[in-house]
Amino acid sequence: AIDPEFEENRDVVEQHDGHDVWGPVDEPEELGIHGTHVAVDFDICIADGACLEDCPVDVFEWVDTPDHPESEIKADPAHEDQCIDCMLCVDVCPVDAIDVDPG
Ligand code: SF4
Ligand code: F3S
Ligand code: ZN
């Protein structure tokens, strides 16, 4: 599961589409955590898709991650600023790849 303390345990190593990426990143095998308010651990995501289907405000968009061992697409929190903290994505992700911090 995603580390809920990732902001203490990791560092921001790059930006992607307006949000932070928390390392380590070593493409294509290691992709880190995308987003901060809505954080998706790309190394855990298996592209189940439930988060994209269920998010009421369409926070997520697919991004291509060729040659990643878990899946070749990931749910990117492209619109994390629109999140209304319903926690649905956290509940439906089968591998607990998502952390949302209401605040
Ligand atoms: Fe979308 Fe709710 Fe998850 Fe926020 S907590 S990203 S609104 S499903
Ligand atoms: Fe990935 Fe979980 Fe969404 S596996 S696509 S973050 S439901
Ligand atoms: Zn991203």
Side-chain angles (χ1 to χ4, degrees):
I2 186 170
D3 176 8
E5 308 293 320
F6 71 90
E7 287 174 83
E8 280 85 59
N9 296 333
R10 293 177 180 232
D11 294 312
V12 175
V13 294
E14 58 190 65
Q15 299 289 306
H16 176 242
D17 230 347
H19 54 259
D20 290 335
V21 179
W22 302 79
V25 170
D26 184 15
E27 294 180 14
E29 297 89 3
E30 201 172 15
L31 300 173
I33 292 175
H34 282 234
T36 301
H37 179 72
V38 180
V40 180
D41 192 324
F42 274 24
D43 295 310
I44 294 175
C45 173
I46 56 170
D48 176 83
C51 58
L52 270 98
E53 285 170 30
D54 289 358
C55 177
V57 291
D58 296 330
V59 162
F60 304 97
E61 287 183 11
W62 290 122
V63 294
D64 293 324
T65 57
D67 299 322
H68 187 270
E70 296 298 339
S71 59
E72 301 216 323
I73 54 173
K74 306 291 179 183
D76 195 38
H79 311 289
E80 65 174 350
D81 53 319
Q82 294 175 20
C83 175
I84 57 171
D85 299 332
C86 74
M87 307 307 272
L88 214 50
C89 58
V90 173
D91 292 340
V92 296
C93 178
V95 290
D96 292 331
I98 308 174
D99 182 63
V100 175
D101 276 324

